[in-house]
Amino acid sequence: MARIAYILLCHKAPDEVIRQAERLTAAGDMVAIHFDARTPRADYEAIRAALDANPSVTFARRRVKCGWGEWSLVAATLQALKAAEEAFPRATHFYMLSGDCMPIKTAEYAHAFLDAEDADYIESFDFFASDWIKTGLKAERLVYRHLFNERRNKRLFYAALQAQKRLGLTRRVPADLQVMIGSQWWCLRRRTVEAVLDFIRARPDVMRFFRTTWIPDETFFQTLVRHLVPADQIRTRTLTFLMFSDYGMPVTFYNDHYDLLLAQDFLFARKISPEAHELKARLGTLYAATGVAFSPSNEGRSLYRFLTGRGREGRRFAPRFWETESSLGRERELMIVTCKKWHVAKRLVDRVHAVTGLPAVAYLFNEEATDLPDLGGIQATLEKRTRHRRALMRMLFDHYGTDRLVICLDPSNIDLMQDFYADRSRTRLLEIQCRFSDDYLAGHAQRVGLAGPRTPPEVLDRLLPTIRHDMVFESDRIRDAEFPGFYRIDEARPPDENADALAGFLSIPPHTAREIAATDYLFDD
């Protein structure tokens, strides 16, 4: 009968880790734990104190400080995998889990499932031929060396990448490997794990290659398993049910998802909400149960797409759709350009896009006619865009396949600026200071409905100082808000001075910023 050693990677909630390990081992399985070295030592010691006496639990010999996209995630997995392979000689399968995973079948069902086929379960698609990577870097993950963390040191990450591109410092993939890609959540047989561990001891060149590959947890095991195991013994799928929203974030499961999860043809699911206490209790009880019959219908993903699609149109389930995962995302950068002269801001962001390639959207919360992609109806009206502004921004980031986006806002939209600054994303603001002639202010008064073609000159004379004062007030209000990452360029300044502000705002080299700032028609009326 199958005996499973779970490779548990976790970085928080020590009490939940303890309960998860106790639940899994109570059903006769084993657990090897790697607890992120970035977490407090006291949390790790609490886990050790609770589980050290359990013979079915072992710990990675060395704790690794983990970072998303880094080799450290693979290193942590290998530490736990080696510990499990040594401590549990009776384990027949090794199954990767995170602290956010929960079983959605019984242990009895899981063992029978693994006994039914002599196979490894791991997503393993051709890196170059498949469309597994939807957005962002692709070949660059492999052919360049990545020494910095993109989330913690974004500027250094991209500076190093651009330097390698300019200097032609590409590298070759190890000649005998076909690089594969897929989910990091796998279940491998014992002989496969032993073959992988033997391979990495014999091939330091492969280890050097993957240590500086970007997001190697999606390629390392996927490539080595395909290299070492006959294709007919690999099932190119994961046994852990997970979904991503249409704007790129993992879907989180809550108490009312119990029946949906049990209906999926998988053994575990992630991510379970930390607040879903009832769901966790029910799934924990389920894992230890016997004699439970399951009839997987596997409709989870299609049902999710249907319900969220209706939510976008405001027909049903809309509040839950927009409230869930409402943050733009900690790893994303939103750069806001604000200017009362909309044509000046539009010229600037058009020039930024032309020179840097950064996607830019002008005045999407101010102009109904702003050119936007079809995002399922959320972009249809200004009222919808404003009401669901964070969801709209998430979908735009995903549509353009970027973590950096430039938008324009009118200076009166300080409420939107404050909302975006309150998000976990990295937000910066650039104010464009312009000079306003009386003729321009008169035209502005007509555009916003304060005056018409037949308004008497004496009425305009009284109105224009008020309009000018309002523009000064909006600018002062932005300054008084003391937004971090605030920059300003001014029509009256020379291009070199404006270039300094642009370089900081856009995180671009000074010479590139000068090229943008030197646009000779930028401030023309």
Side-chain angles (χ1 to χ4, degrees):
M1 185 183 77
R3 303 270 323 264
I4 307 170
Y6 290 102
I7 310 303
L8 181 57
L9 299 190
C10 41
H11 64 279
K12 60 183 178 181
D15 291 343
E16 288 293 328
V17 174
I18 294 167
R19 278 193 287 271
Q20 190 175 29
E22 289 175 341
R23 179 188 311 120
L24 297 173
T25 57
D29 293 314
M30 297 146 281
V31 178
I33 298 173
H34 178 277
F35 198 67
D36 194 338
R38 294 187 186 278
T39 57
R41 178 76 186 180
D43 288 353
Y44 177 66
E45 289 175 349
I47 297 172
R48 292 295 301 249
L51 298 174
D52 262 343
N54 188 330
S56 296
V57 175
T58 191
F59 292 85
R61 290 184 179 177
R62 183 172 66 86
R63 294 171 64 208
V64 179
K65 291 183 178 180
C66 296
W68 183 87
E70 295 179 355
W71 168 255
S72 56
L73 287 176
V74 178
T77 304
L78 288 173
Q79 287 293 322
L81 190 60
K82 291 174 182 177
E85 192 261 347
E86 293 176 6
F88 307 129
R90 296 173 63 193
T92 62
H93 294 77
F94 297 80
Y95 193 125
M96 269 281 290
L97 287 178
S98 78
D100 294 323
C101 295
M102 286 291 293
I104 56 175
K105 298 290 186 294
T106 61
E108 180 182 67
Y109 181 98
H111 296 152
F113 183 97
L114 295 176
D115 281 335
E117 279 198 278
D118 186 21
D120 296 308
Y121 295 86
I122 182 170
E123 285 190 348
S124 181
F125 303 99
D126 185 274
F127 185 92
F128 294 100
S130 72
D131 64 348
W132 202 86
I133 299 175
K134 303 296 184 185
T135 61
L137 303 180
K138 189 168 183 177
E140 294 93 338
R141 293 190 186 191
L142 305 179
V143 301
Y144 298 109
R145 296 167 179 83
H146 300 280
L147 306 175
F148 303 100
N149 184 283
E150 193 265 352
R151 291 189 174 180
R152 292 198 305 273
N153 299 294
K154 187 176 290 288
R155 187 175 297 183
L156 288 174
F157 179 91
Y158 286 105
L161 178 60
Q162 292 304 318
Q164 291 178 80
K165 287 182 177 180
R166 285 196 302 271
L167 297 172
L169 298 178
T170 58
R171 60 176 180 171
R172 294 182 183 275
V173 176
D176 58 331
L177 293 184
Q178 178 186 6
V179 178
M180 310 298 284
I181 191 166
S183 167
Q184 73 178 105
W185 310 108
W186 41 252
C187 178
L188 303 177
R189 296 166 297 173
R190 183 176 196 90
R191 64 174 175 269
T192 300
V193 167
E194 291 172 345
V196 167
L197 296 178
D198 288 342
F199 181 86
I200 64 178
R201 283 189 284 266
R203 292 293 300 274
D205 61 316
V206 172
M207 297 295 281
R208 284 194 299 271
F209 173 78
F210 279 106
R211 280 194 182 99
T212 52
T213 296
W214 182 232
I215 320 182
D217 53 300
E218 293 179 352
T219 55
F220 180 78
F221 288 99
Q222 297 77 359
T223 299
L224 267 56
V225 170
R226 182 67 65 170
H227 181 72
L228 297 168
V229 176
D232 62 357
Q233 296 179 28
I234 299 174
R235 303 294 174 263
T236 307
R237 58 162 296 187
T238 175
L239 296 179
T240 299
F241 179 61
L242 66 162
M243 295 193 299
F244 289 89
S245 69
D246 54 2
Y247 47 99
M249 290 299 294
V251 173
T252 301
F253 299 110
Y254 296 91
N255 289 333
D256 56 349
H257 285 122
Y258 179 82
D259 291 327
L260 179 144
L261 292 176
L262 264 60
Q264 307 315 307
D265 187 21
F266 295 85
L267 304 184
F268 281 76
R270 75 179 304 268
K271 306 172 67 170
I272 308 299
S273 168
E275 287 77 37
H277 302 299
E278 179 187 340
L279 176 62
K280 289 184 177 182
R282 295 179 72 184
L283 292 176
T285 301
L286 174 72
Y287 190 69
T290 58
V292 180
F294 297 92
S295 301
S297 55
N298 232 30
E299 81 300 332
R301 291 189 175 93
S302 58
L303 179 62
Y304 176 81
R305 284 194 298 270
F306 171 73
L307 294 181
T308 53
R310 291 171 66 86
R312 280 197 297 276
E313 293 289 357
R315 290 180 286 158
R316 194 178 179 195
F317 301 99
R320 180 170 179 177
F321 174 68
W322 297 126
E323 290 163 10
T324 301
E325 298 290 350
S326 61
S327 169
L328 273 63
R330 192 184 304 276
E331 74 282 3
R332 285 172 166 163
E333 290 184 62
L334 178 63
M335 290 160 279
I336 302 171
V337 175
T338 186
C339 181
K340 206 65 183 180
K341 287 188 175 181
W342 292 5
H343 61 282
V344 174
K346 290 177 181 179
R347 286 175 190 156
L348 177 69
V349 298
D350 284 346
R351 189 69 177 137
V352 166
H353 176 68
V355 173
T356 68
L358 284 172
V361 185
Y363 292 103
L364 69 168
F365 297 104
N366 304 102
E367 285 188 303
E368 196 95 53
T370 299
D371 186 19
L372 290 171
D374 183 358
L375 301 173
I378 189 175
Q379 83 292 345
T381 65
L382 286 176
E383 189 274 334
K384 275 191 175 183
R385 296 176 202 170
T386 303
R387 177 156 43 98
H388 305 308
R389 49 190 172 268
R390 293 197 188 184
L392 172 67
M393 297 308 301
R394 293 194 67 88
M395 296 170 81
L396 284 172
F397 275 109
D398 187 63
H399 173 81
Y400 290 113
T402 184
D403 283 337
R404 307 184 73 221
L405 181 65
V406 183
I407 66 169
C408 297
L409 293 180
D410 188 86
S412 64
N413 295 137
I414 192 166
D415 56 331
L416 291 177
M417 299 174 197
Q418 289 169 330
D419 185 62
F420 288 134
Y421 264 96
D423 191 80
R424 290 179 303 206
S425 62
R426 293 187 289 276
T427 305
R428 292 196 290 275
L429 179 65
L430 175 72
E431 183 186 21
I432 305 176
Q433 289 273 291
C434 297
R435 300 297 174 262
F436 301 102
S437 67
D438 285 348
D439 287 342
Y440 177 85
L441 292 177
H444 174 77
Q446 293 187 31
R447 287 190 293 274
V448 299
L450 295 175
R454 298 180 182 177
T455 301
E458 59 270 23
V459 174
L460 274 178
D461 289 341
R462 292 196 298 271
L463 184 60
L464 295 189
T466 302
I467 296 174
R468 192 184 299 275
H469 179 269
D470 282 349
M471 292 182 176
V472 172
F473 170 76
E474 288 174 354
S475 178
D476 286 342
R477 189 170 56 165
I478 290 171
R479 295 189 198 187
D480 292 340
E482 298 182 341
F483 293 120
F486 175 64
Y487 299 84
R488 183 183 295 109
I489 64 173
D490 196 311
E491 180 180 358
R493 292 178 186 168
D496 281 351
E497 289 186 28
N498 285 335
D500 291 339
L502 283 171
F505 173 66
L506 296 167
S507 297
I508 58 176
H511 68 274
T512 305
R514 280 194 294 273
E515 182 180 352
I516 298 169
T519 304
D520 55 8
Y521 55 85
L522 183 60
F523 294 99
D524 289 352
D525 284 333

